[in-house]
Amino acid sequence: MIFLTEKNTLKAYGTIYDGDGLEFVYQYERLAKVYDEVIVRLHTYGGSVFDGNLIFNILNATKPKLIIDGVAASMGGILLTAVDDVSIVENGFIMLHAPSSGGRGNAKDHESAAKLLRMMQRNFVEKLMAKTNLPLNEVEKFLDGDNWFSAQEAKEIGLVKHVIPARITPAMPVENPREMGEQQMYNAYAQLLTNTESEKFYNQNSNNTEMKQMIIAAFQLNSVSADSSDTAVLNALKDVFAEKQNELNESNQARVNAENSLQEFKEEQVKAFVEAYAKENKVSDDKKEALINIGKTSGLEALAQVIDTAPKNQAPGISGMIKNAGNTSVDSAKASWTWDDWQQKDPRGLEALAVNDKDAYNELLNNKFRK
C-alpha cells in the first residue's frame, strides 16, 4: 500500500501486500501519539487477509473516522466493519466477496487451505452481521460472487454512515462494476494520487522504490522486490544481517579455537624444552616452573636466550639444545655495564640475570634505584 500522513490524517491507498499491516499500525500509532483524533482515508481493492486483519484490529480498538475516497473492495470492504463512523464519497463503491487463494500442493494441502478459507469466510460473515444487523441468510449472499454496492446502497444496508461529496471524477465511466472488476474500479480513481499532496508523496515513493532496488541488489534479497512493502524489505534485510552475524560469530569462534590450539602447542614446546634441559642439568622444581613461565609469557626464543646466559658450570649438552650457548652469567665485556646499559643493549640478558645470577641482578637494581 501507499501510506501518506498529513497532520491527523492517514491515507492508505492500493493493494494490501504482505507486511502492510505492520506498516499501517506503525503509521497509525505515530499519529495517535500526537493527535486525539485520527482520520483514515482508504482506497483499496483488497489483498492479504492476514495483514488486513492487523489493520482491522487497530481500527476496531481505537474507532477513528474512516473515509472511503474511492473503492473499498474485498478485504477493504471488510475493514468498514471495524468502526462505526464510516463515510464514503458519493461516487464511491464497496465490493464484498468470499476470501480466496491459489496454490500448489497435494490433497491434504488443499483441504487445509479450504478449511482456512471457510474459517475466514465465517469471520467475514460475523463481522458483516454485527455491522449491518442483517440476518445470516442475507449476509451470506454478500459473499456469493462479487457484490458491488454504490455509496447510497452501502448506506442503506448499514455498511457506511455518511455519504459525502466526491473528491474526484473517475477517469472512466463506471457503469457496470462487476464487469470492470476491482482492479479497474480502483484504477478509475487514480486521480486521487495526482493531487499536490499525493504527488509529493509519489515522488518520495519513487525515490523510495529506487532505494529499495539498490538495497535489494546490494544485499541480494531474492525473497522481495521493489514492489514489496518497506516492512517486507526491512525484514529480508534483517534476515541477511542475522545470517552475516552468524557467519561472523562462527569465524570469530574458529579464530579463537585456532589461537587456543596454537597457544597450547607453544606451551607444550616450552614444557618439552624445559624438561629436556632439566634432564641434563640440576634444576629445581621452582626453577623449572620459572623457566616454563618465561616461555609461556615471552616465547620459546626468549626462553632459549635465558638459558644461553646461564652460568658456564651448567651441565654439558645444553649448548646443543639452544642457539649460541653463553659463557658466564656476566662476561668480561658486560661486567662494567649499568642497569641502563643492559636495558639498551641486552634486555633479554637482563631478564636472564634475574633467574641465573640473582646477586648480579640485585646489585644492578640497587645501583640504579636505591642510591
Side-chain angles (χ1 to χ4, degrees), residues 3 10 20-33 38 40 50-66 79 82-83 127:
F3 297 101
L10 169 59
D20 282 341
L22 289 175
E23 181 67 17
F24 181 93
V25 171
Y26 165 76
Q27 297 291 350
Y28 185 92
E29 290 184 339
R30 187 169 61 85
L31 292 184
K33 291 177 181 178
V38 176
V40 176
F50 297 106
D51 284 80
N53 279 332
L54 288 177
I55 298 173
F56 176 93
N57 290 340
I58 193 167
L59 294 178
N60 188 247
T62 57
K63 304 294 184 183
K65 289 184 178 180
L66 179 61
L79 294 179
V83 299
K127 287 180 168 67

